[in-house]
Amino acid sequence: DDLVDDPRFQDNGLRTKHHADLEPELNAAFRLKATAEWLEILSPVCLIAPLNTIPEMVRDEHVRSRGMFVDLL
C-alpha cells in the first residue's frame, strides 16, 4: 500500500524514472506469494503471465499442445 501513495510511482513515466527504487520493492513484495497466487490475484485486473523457467516451459500444456518443440536429431 505504501507504493500506491508514493509520489515517485504515480504514473508510468515516474515509475520508469525511479525504476532503481521501485524494482527492489516489487521484488520483495512478489517473493511473499507463490506465482500461482499472484496470477490468481492479478489476472482479474491486469494482463499478466508467469515468467517460466525452461523446465516449466517444456511442461506447459499450451506449449506442448501447439507442438512448439521439435527434435533436431
Side-chain angles (χ1 to χ4, degrees):
D1 289 336
D2 294 339
L3 295 178
V4 172
D5 297 323
D6 191 315
R8 296 173 298 166
F9 312 130
Q10 291 301 302
D11 62 39
N12 192 51
L14 289 169
R15 287 188 292 274
T16 300
K17 181 179 178 180
H18 299 286
H19 178 265
D21 298 322
L22 182 57
E23 184 176 26
E25 296 282 347
L26 292 175
N27 286 337
F30 284 127
R31 283 189 196 100
L32 299 176
K33 296 183 187 304
T35 300
E37 291 177 273
W38 284 118
L39 288 171
E40 186 177 323
I41 292 166
L42 296 174
S43 291
V45 295
C46 65
L47 180 60
I48 188 169
L51 180 60
N52 292 328
T53 64
I54 291 175
E56 290 168 335
M57 178 194 58
V58 170
R59 292 188 304 267
D60 184 270
E61 182 180 323
H62 180 72
V63 171
R64 297 185 69 74
S65 71
R66 292 196 50 159
M68 297 179 80
F69 291 101
V70 295
D71 291 326
L72 297 176
L73 299 174

